[in-house]
Structures are given as structure tokens and as C-alpha cells.
Amino acid sequence: IRALLLCSCLGLLRPGVGQPFLRLRPSPSDNLPVKDIVEHPDPEYDPKEQDLDERTLRKKLGSHFDPGFMAVAVPGPANASGAEAAAGRARAALPAELRRLELGPPQGPRLRVGKKARRKVLQWLWAYTYCPVLYTWKDLGVRFWPRYIKEGNCFAEKSCSLPEGMFCKPVKSVTKTFLRWHCQGWSSQKYCTWIPVQYPLISECKCSC
């Protein structure tokens, strides 16, 4: 899929100058989740205590603040275990295309089975091919606010197809807006402020090649 990737993770250094010059606009990427961001190690480019006032930052972020996907303090665990994914498969409703599936060989006669047996076969197929989004909390660091994001991944511990060969992959994404601490200039002449940046998150996975 095409999705937005933060280019600020590229943090390029201008030759001979200690200031990281960040490209601020997102660029397309086929790869989600977003890779870990490489930050300039100098704490001089970190926001200071007076820059981290929660009330001020909440006002600046406004309606973009989504407590379901972002947190200011260290959050609790998200639903990232394989056991929970398996349980989710069992609870998930059968999709319409699977309910319409005719059992039997592609070129052969339709396989006649009872309603109960058919339902069990279809439920087993759905449990095997179901691709949930598994969420874990990720710390983006002090140069993002809120610094914690609930990031999605596709369940990929085993193949999701019969015969094997296909795996759960991202097919849809949503974009959340965060604040990014950005500095221009260098040394005592630099100017730093919070700017809004968009961060793409996996929202749906599907069994595919």
C-alpha cells in the first residue's frame, strides 16, 4: 500500500554544522509500520521543561489529540499477543465473501454438506485466514508530543493461506497528527518550536501474496 512516512526520521546533517536539518513533509512509502526514527544525539536539540507544558501542548494539538492512539505518560500494555490474536479470530464475524463460498473443487461438483458442518468448515477457514491488527505502544522520544503512540502490526507468525505461502500484510492505514520539536539554525542562534507532523498507522491487514 501507499502510505505516508515521516521524513523527519532522516535527520540529515549539514556538512560542518552540528544542526540536523529535517525534511518536514511526509513522503510516500510502501512499508508500515514506520521504522524507528534516527535522532540527533545532542540533547541541546531536546525540548526544555518549559516547552513541555501539557496544557499548552494539548491546546496546540487541539482536536487531533486521540487518547485511543496516543498517550502522554507511559501507557499500559496493548493487545499484541498471539494468543489474543487467535481468540480474536474465533470471535470475528465471517465476511460476506466467505459466507458465499461454495465448498468443492473449482471445476468439480458442489460439495454437499449439512448446515452445521458447513458452518464449522467456514469458521475454521476464517480462523486460519483472519488477519488482525495487533497493537503495541511505542515510545517516540521526547521530541514528539505526545511521545507514546499505539502502533499497529499485522499478525505474521505463520502463513494465513492454504496451501501456505500468503501472509498477513497491511492494506489500509490511518494518519494521526503529533507535535514534533524542530530546530532551525545552530548553536545559540537556533530557533526551536513545536510543529504538527502526520504519522501513518496500520488500520487493516489482509491475507495476501
Side-chain angles (χ1 to χ4, degrees), residues 71-184:
V72 178
V74 180
N79 61 329
S81 73
E84 288 170 333
R89 291 177 180 225
R91 293 191 301 267
L94 293 175
E97 59 267 26
L98 192 57
R99 293 197 301 270
R100 294 192 298 265
L101 180 67
E102 298 292 345
L103 301 179
Q107 304 300 325
R110 177 182 175 183
L111 183 62
R112 296 184 178 277
V113 296
K115 289 184 178 181
K116 188 175 181 179
R118 172 184 165 80
R119 184 170 62 252
K120 286 187 176 181
V121 170
L122 294 181
Q123 286 175 336
W124 179 82
L125 284 173
W126 180 224
Y128 197 90
T129 60
Y130 176 53
C131 290
V133 180
L134 304 180
Y135 290 101
T136 54
W137 285 102
K138 180 177 181 178
D139 185 356
L140 297 176
V142 70
R143 295 175 191 175
F144 279 86
W145 196 93
R147 67 180 290 172
Y148 298 98
I149 185 170
K150 192 165 74 171
E151 192 170 60
N153 288 272
C154 295
F155 184 79
E157 293 182 5
K158 66 181 185 66
S159 174
C160 56
S161 64
L162 291 172
E164 294 186 355
M166 299 172 69
F167 292 88
C168 294
K169 296 183 178 181
V171 291
K172 289 184 181 180
S173 65
V174 295
T175 300
K176 299 296 178 180
T177 299
F178 285 72
L179 297 178
R180 167 73 166 167
W181 185 248
H182 174 63
C183 296
Q184 292 180 310

Side-chain angles (χ1 to χ4, degrees), residues 14 35 157 163 165 167 192:
R14 181 178 177 182
K35 294 181 180 179
E157 293 182 5
F167 292 88
C192 301

Side-chain angles (χ1 to χ4, degrees), residues 51-90:
D51 302 313
L52 294 169
D53 180 69
E54 183 175 343
R55 179 178 296 182
T56 301
L57 294 178
R58 276 185 180 266
K59 184 177 181 180
K60 189 175 184 67
L61 192 58
S63 61
H64 293 296
F65 185 85
D66 185 349
F69 284 90
M70 52 187 70
V72 178
V74 180
N79 61 329
S81 73
E84 288 170 333
R89 291 177 180 225

